[in-house]
Amino acid sequence: MTTDPRFANARPVPYWFDTVAESAVCAPATSDCACDLAIVGGGFTGLWSALKARERHPDARIVVLEAKGCGQDASGRSGGFCAPSISHGVSNALSRHAAEAETLIRLGQENLDAYALDLDRYGMNAGFQRCGKLNVAATPWQVAGLNDMARKYERFGIAHTLLEGAALREKLDSPVYGAGLFEPAYALVNPAMMVSELRRVCLAHDITIHEQTAVSALTRDGAGMRLQTAQATLTARQVILATNSAEPLLRRLRLSIIPIYDYSLVTEPLSEAQWTSIGWTGPHGIADSGNQFHYFRKTPDNRMLWAGYDAIYHYGSARDEARLQRPESFGRLADQFAAAFPPLAGVRFDYTWGGIIDTSARTTFFSGLAGGGRVAYAMGFTGQGVSASRFAALTMLDRLDGADTERTRLKMPSRLAVPFPPEPLRSVAVSLAQRGLAHEDATGKRSRFLKLLDAFGIGFDS
Ligand SMILES: Cc1cc2nc3c(=O)[nH]c(=O)nc-3n(C[C@H](O)[C@H](O)[C@H](O)COP(=O)(O)OP(=O)(O)OC[C@H]3O[C@@H](n4cnc5c(N)ncnc54)[C@H](O)[C@@H]3O)c2cc1C
């Protein structure tokens, strides 16, 4: 609860949830059953896995087990920025995966093109727009970063435009940002509509979805696997784990991700004149370029989503619904909003929410096999999984099918990221990294601790 008048009318739920019609809950699993493929998790990764498995195996019995409702976690809470990347951007591919950077960059672009084709093919209306993204810089070192990004884009033939002065003000007019780089290949999607459409299409393709069905244990069972839920036991020939930031069911993955909380605001609807007053007349999304960055976009009913910056870790990797509301972070975001958009300083916020990011020390997803080849997993998207989840789903299916593909040959997802240390060291390491990132944002200088992490290919992001 907050007494801040800027949030007087705010609903403490993701704005996106209000953009889709409520649909009947898919019944929980109440009786034991056997299936060919059980998928744990009904976010983007789980639902793409189900749909793509159906394309490959028309007669298979496919069951999705979702602890809450489909898309209630990261997928439905996200900003909906669809990156033409599976590697958390071009710079990350080059700095951490130089040997296969070119392949990663191409596969990221192909994945987003194929994502758009899938939407058409299945008639999914998810508010998908290929409207581009503007990256903006607030400090001289961020401007240098954008110039460096432009050189890399040049090298890989990626369309982009560097913007300053009047050209920038045509896309965004803010006293905070002095330069920009526009990349037209980026897309935006309404994340709750996307979940809802994937869920609808899965159901239409004879995929069983059980919501409010948490899997509490996964064990071997003869030639298959056994999944324990509160009311039923399922046996499956193969299993996909798409549980993102939740504590992984496989013990071996528990040190590979940590939950980081990220927060979002959505304003009241803005008038045409208000959008014009900040120069934002196009449909594109925007993100600023600090380590602690904001991402912002328009909603279909002319509100602004303004999100990011804080990346909060809680001791012991606490995962707790109550922490999805954080007045301190909302207040900070609102102050930063007022500084970025002085003409909008009196605007109220109608929605506040948080979400948990599955941060991996490599800032990209990893995927592998367990249970003697019967279980595939993918997680660790670190805040860039809206489009990469589709690619991760295909990677897991390739692995379960025993197929040797360009996806399974990639080194980036095939190796587990450097594990996070156990507590209390974990909190100390996260805090040192965060302080280093804040220091770099303020001064442009990288701390010794961050340089040490860089040397080991370790990153911290959200
Ligand atoms: C606030 C926020 C903003 C983001 N913005 C962007 C963005 O703009 N662009 C972008 O690319 N990425 C963004 N991301 C990241 C992106 O949302 C995720 O990478 C992506 O949604 C991951 O999809 P998923 O299906 O793997 O995870 P989730 O959507 O989290 O789904 C996992 C599901 O598994 C279920 N589950 C977990 N454990 C169990 C269990 N034991 N039994 C049954 N079910 C279980 C959960 O209930 C959950 O529904 C954002 C993330 C957050 C939190």
Side-chain angles (χ1 to χ4, degrees):
M1 285 293 283
T2 170
T3 51
D4 188 330
R6 294 172 296 184
F7 303 112
N9 300 323
R11 271 168 48 68
V13 292
Y15 159 81
W16 304 115
F17 291 2
D18 278 354
T19 65
V20 290
E22 232 174 88
S23 55
V25 171
C26 293
T30 50
S31 52
D32 296 355
C33 79
C35 62
D36 296 301
L37 176 64
I39 296 168
V40 188
F44 291 144
T45 308
L47 294 173
W48 274 120
S49 299
L51 186 56
K52 292 287 157 188
R54 171 57 74 231
E55 287 175 8
R56 294 179 186 200
H57 306 290
D59 302 320
R61 170 112 210 259
I62 303 170
V63 178
V64 177
L65 301 161
E66 164 52 48
K68 303 171 188 168
C70 288
Q72 297 281 307
D73 275 351
S75 297
R77 294 170 178 272
S78 74
F81 283 71
C82 283
S85 170
I86 53 166
S87 57
H88 220 129
V90 169
S91 294
N92 196 47
L94 285 166
S95 62
R96 296 215 172 92
H97 313 283
E100 59 183 13
E102 198 169 342
T103 309
L104 288 169
I105 291 165
R106 173 176 54 75
L107 289 175
Q109 295 164 337
E110 288 173 4
N111 179 58
L112 187 56
D113 291 343
Y115 184 109
L117 288 175
D118 277 342
L119 290 176
D120 280 350
R121 173 176 172 197
Y122 288 105
M124 291 194 262
N125 173 15
F128 180 86
Q129 296 173 276
R130 205 95 194 227
C131 50
K133 176 185 167 204
L134 176 67
N135 305 281
V136 285
T139 60
W141 49 94
Q142 287 178 18
V143 175
L146 288 188
N147 288 326
D148 179 54
M149 199 174 184
R151 281 189 292 275
K152 287 170 179 157
Y153 280 16
E154 200 75 52
R155 182 173 150 202
F156 291 98
I158 299 170
H160 66 280
T161 318
L162 278 169
L163 301 166
E164 272 181 355
L168 176 63
R169 287 194 295 277
E170 275 175 25
K171 293 222 180 290
L172 185 72
D173 187 359
S174 161
V176 170
Y177 305 115
L181 180 143
F182 183 68
E183 38 184 329
Y186 243 86
L188 291 175
V189 72
N190 175 325
M193 278 171 79
M194 185 63 203
V195 170
S196 166
E197 285 292 81
L198 272 172
R199 180 179 178 273
R200 176 183 66 75
V201 172
C202 282
L203 291 171
H205 286 76
D206 203 21
I207 288 158
T208 304
I209 300 179
H210 292 300
E211 292 176 310
Q212 296 171 3
T213 303
V215 176
S216 53
L218 177 69
T219 48
R220 288 206 195 194
D221 180 75
M225 299 298 298
R226 177 194 297 253
L227 298 101
Q228 192 59 52
T229 74
Q231 300 184 67
T233 304
L234 281 87
T235 49
R237 205 166 50 77
Q238 295 181 318
V239 174
I240 277 182
L241 297 179
T243 56
N244 197 39
S245 64
E247 183 164 66
L249 285 165
L250 296 176
R251 192 171 290 276
R252 72 165 80 159
L253 302 179
R254 292 199 180 149
L255 296 179
S256 298
I257 51 163
I258 56 169
I260 296 290
Y261 289 67
D262 183 69
Y263 294 95
S264 307
L265 304 179
V266 161
T267 66
E268 60 190 320
L270 303 179
S271 67
E272 204 62 45
Q274 284 175 309
W275 287 112
T276 306
S277 73
I278 58 166
W280 192 353
T281 48
H284 52 278
I286 308 181
D288 52 32
S289 312
N291 293 311
Q292 298 165 287
F293 65 97
H294 300 95
Y295 51 96
F296 33 123
R297 61 170 290 186
K298 295 179 175 179
T299 68
D301 56 352
N302 289 318
R303 302 166 187 272
M304 190 197 301
L305 176 148
W306 171 256
Y309 195 79
D310 273 359
I312 308 293
Y313 173 76
H314 296 288
Y315 188 86
S317 290
R319 296 161 168 94
D320 178 357
E321 294 275 320
R323 297 180 204 263
L324 295 173
Q325 289 292 313
R326 192 169 192 266
E328 194 188 333
S329 292
F330 298 143
R332 187 172 6 260
L333 275 172
D335 293 344
Q336 292 164 340
F337 174 90
F341 310 113
L344 306 184
V347 157
R348 303 273 184 122
F349 298 94
D350 281 352
Y351 293 87
T352 62
W353 74 94
I356 307 182
I357 285 174
D358 57 335
T359 294
S360 90
R362 210 173 32 221
T363 76
T364 48
F365 81 95
F366 52 85
S367 160
L369 288 175
R374 284 165 278 193
V375 180
Y377 55 81
M379 57 194 67
F381 296 97
T382 319
Q384 203 174 93
V386 170
S387 51
S389 52
R390 179 187 175 282
F391 187 89
L394 291 167
T395 307
M396 287 191 281
L397 293 169
D398 288 349
R399 293 200 197 290
L400 287 176
D401 287 344
D404 176 26
T405 65
E406 199 172 26
R407 285 184 285 261
T408 60
R409 285 195 293 274
L410 284 177
K411 288 196 179 64
M412 181 198 81
S414 305
R415 281 180 283 129
L416 282 184
V418 174
F420 290 96
E423 295 289 12
L425 266 182
R426 178 179 295 191
S427 288
V428 174
V430 170
S431 161
L432 275 174
Q434 287 185 319
R435 264 189 269 159
L437 293 169
H439 176 74
E440 188 177 31
D441 279 343
T443 64
K445 296 198 176 78
R446 203 136 176 96
S447 71
R448 265 191 274 174
F449 183 66
L450 289 183
K451 282 185 189 160
L452 180 71
L453 294 186
D454 291 342
F456 288 97
I458 300 172
F460 184 81
D461 205 337
S462 62

